[in-house]
Structure formats: structure tokens, C-alpha cells
Amino acid sequence: MGKLHDRLAEQAPVLRDKIHNVVTEHGTAVVSEVTVSQVFGGMRGVKGLVCDTSIVEPDKGLVVRGFPIGDLKKRLPEEIFYLLCTGELPDAEALASLQQDLRQRAEVPSYVWNVLKSLPPDAHPMAMFSTAILSMERESVFRKRYSEGMHKTDYWEPALEDSLRLLAVLPEVAAGIYRIHTRKGEPLPSNPDLDWGADFASMLGLPDPTGEFHNLIRLYLTLHCDHEGGNVSAFTCHTVGSALSDPFYAVSAGMNGLAGPLHGLANQECLHFVLEVRNKYKGVPTGDQLREYVWETLNDGRVIPGYGHAVLRVTDPRFTAFHEFGDRVCPNDEMFRIVDRLFHITPQVLKEQGKVKDPWPNVDAGSGSLLYLFGLTEFDYYTVLFGVSRALGMCSQLVLNRLLGTPITRPKSVSTDWLIKTASNAGVTAASGRTK
Ligand code: CMX
């Protein structure tokens, strides 16, 4: 393995010492407390997990290893993987070495295609994607080395090997799923002369006379790479990996969480909304029409897809990056103009309504319309694109956790009766949150 491996090997003792020292010196310090509402509320805001690859700041958005995501939008996804793993952007030599590592591992085993083609024709692309990843578990070097009795401090090396193997094949597998699912033809072979994102775009087989579709896919893969550790897919992958299940098991599990409508599936809803607007007004509505439509949607008790966020309180910088792309490449496209007009009107309406904590657009508000423009019109495939990108984050988190010797995840669950009793004994009424 190349320079990424060597850099991680250099960093390993320093990182382990850092964790050892903080636990030794401050092991009993309290960093978070948990209320009854949080216990019943999906553990929102409970600080009980470590993730060093990225953080989500309410007023800044995604920050990858200290870099706001907006500053990384011109970087290749491979560079982002190196950054996620090491905290450093690779120089030209390290990038070339990582790309070489990926190329050497890029052959998709033939059984993966047999498995995919044997699934029912109406299998969801995310079910195909997760199944393909799981079917490759037999390739795991981690499992083989573990059964041979590898030392604990070595876990990260085969975890990195498995991650590189998985990331190397994902573009071809995901593009093949697109072609099988949409019946566009046989999967197309990988081109070793292309970078990871461009190769993926090219294997989808859509026309790209200007090269901008390649740029869009690279951008998409970079922007969706990671979103700290507590989101459903990252946390699932983390938990499965903590049992020392290898990266094929863990990433496949993470993808099953990403497939949910409250997580990775939301992007297709946004495109649906924009299409609804276009169909209703037979093109781009005026500002007044759109304002009226947004109000109607809210008054019907529906949400405006692509707006609001659990953590963010500003326009998502990933939306800004897609918006800039649209401004440059397709400013006159009807769908993009609707997205743009919604951006100018929706936050004001949501503020007037006064319910949402975050009236600003999130990452999903514009990406689907851009994909649609380039002929990627099959909504149900969009989460697979998201998954290819998010595998960068999942794999980097797995490698770091094995490197740090992170133990098996095992929070304590309690019964409802125990909570009621404990909260009452503490003199707190769950309803008022005030001390009696
Ligand atoms: N349109 C209308 N109402 C909205 C809204 C929106 N876009 N976003 C939030 N609200 C409503 C909520 O439904 C809630 O209403 P009730 O009090 O009646 O239940 C109220 O505003 C307060 O919600 P919140 O605290 O601001 O938002 P949450 O943290 O509960 O939910 C999210 C966050 C993203 C699920 C929500 O904003 C939403 O449903 N947005 C639309 C769907 C969407 O774009 N999802 C993609 C998210 C992308 C990502 O997570 O990365």
C-alpha cells in the first residue's frame, strides 16, 4: 500500500497517545448530560460519540478536518478521502499514489454482477447497492487476518485494505446498478485513465459533450462525503464496525440506514417538488405565484422539501456550491430557475410562518434538478450516488476507529418505568422540565 498507509502508520502512535492521555487525565470529567426528552427524542444533542473526520457547525455547515466544505468544492473525492483519514490534503505524489492504490483494486468480481442480475427487476437501487457490497464480504482481508490471530494494533491495516478495495469498485458497481435497474444495457467497464469521480460519471453512460456532467458528479461526490458521526448511516456503520465486523459488513449496514426517507432518500422529494411546480405553472412561475404555492403547501400540512435542517441554521454551503454550479452551467434551465426562485422566496415565507428553526435550503434543494438536466432522471437512483460519496466518510471513520482501538459500542438502555421512577425521584416533572 502507498503513501496513505504510510502516513497513517506515522500518525498512529501519536493519536493513540492523545486518546490515552485524555482518558488518563480527564477520564471522569462530565461533558454532557441527558434529559428524559433527549432519551425519547432520538438522543438529539447528547454528546456521547467521537468523530474526528468532520463536524457540522450550526452557523458554518460541514467542516471537514478544519476545512469548511465550501473551500473543498474543487477537490477530487480521492483528495477528500485522504483528508478524512489523515487530516491533511495530499500533495501530488500522495494523490497519485492513492489513485494507483484504487486502480490496482478496481476489478469487480464477476459474482457481484450475477448477484445483481438475479435480483427481481423492481428491487430498489439501494437494496441492490447494499447487497452488492455485502456480497463482496468474502474479499475481506480484515476477516482473514482476524481469524489468523492478528494483533489488535494491526487492525487498521486490513481495515484500510478492505476500504480501498471497496472504494475502488464502488463507482463501477454503482454505475452498473444504474444500467441494470434502468435497463440501459450492460454495465460499462472502468477507464483506468480517469479519476474516481469522472470514471463513475462516464460508466453511467449518459451523454456529456461539454464534460460538465463529469464535473457535477465529482462535485456531488465531494460534497456528500461525510457529516460527522451521529447521523443514521455513520452511526450504524460505526456500531457494526465496533463489533469488528469487517468494512464490507459495516458499510453495507450503513447504506441500509441511508436508504431511509428521513435520511438519504430526501433528495428525490425535492426534485419531485420542483417538477410539481413546473407542471402546475407550465414553466417557471412568477415570484407571486411561487409564494402562493409555497404557502398552499404549508397550509396543506406538507413540508417544503430541501428546506430546514436538524443542526444547520444558515444556508447549507453544499447548496451554495450546487447553486454556483447551476449559475455557471445552466442559468437559463427551467428547473434551475425554479430552484433559484424558490431560494429567493421560501426562506422568507418560512420565517413568516414562524415554525421552522432553520428556514434556509439544505444540500438536497438543488442537486436533483442538476442531475435531471444531464439526463439522470431516475429519482430512485439518487441515494446510490449519495451512498458512493458517503462511503468515503464511512470507510475513513472505520479505519480511524480500528487504528485507535475504539471498543465495541454499548450504550445502556433503560425501561420506560425506570425513567419515570428515576425522573420522579430526581424531583423533575417530565412535562415541565422544572424542579418540583
Ligand atoms: N417545511 C415546512 N415545515 C417545516 C420544514 C419545512 N421545510 N422544516 C421544518 N418544518 C416544521 C417541522 O415539521 C416542525 O413542525 P411541527 O412543530 O408542526 O412538528 C417545525 O417546523 C419545527 O421543525 P424544526 O425543529 O425546524 O426541524 P427538525 O429538526 O424537526 O427537522 C428536517 C429537520 C430536515 C427533517 C425538516 O426541516 C424537514 O422536514 N425538511 C424538509 C425535508 C428535507 O429537506 N429533508 C432533507 C434534510 C437534509 C439533511 O438532513 O441533510
Side-chain angles (χ1 to χ4, degrees), residues 78 99-100 103 189-196 198-199 202 218:
E78 299 93 305
Q99 289 178 319
Q100 182 62 13
R103 268 184 218 113
S190 167
N191 176 352
D193 295 331
L194 294 177
D195 59 78
W196 197 70
D199 194 24
S202 133
R218 283 194 194 101

Side-chain angles (χ1 to χ4, degrees), residues 142-158:
F142 185 94
R143 177 158 63 85
K144 183 166 176 292
R145 293 267 310 274
Y146 187 86
S147 64
E148 289 165 359
M150 114 180 101
H151 192 278
K152 200 175 173 174
T153 52
D154 294 338
Y155 287 173
W156 71 272
E157 289 189 295

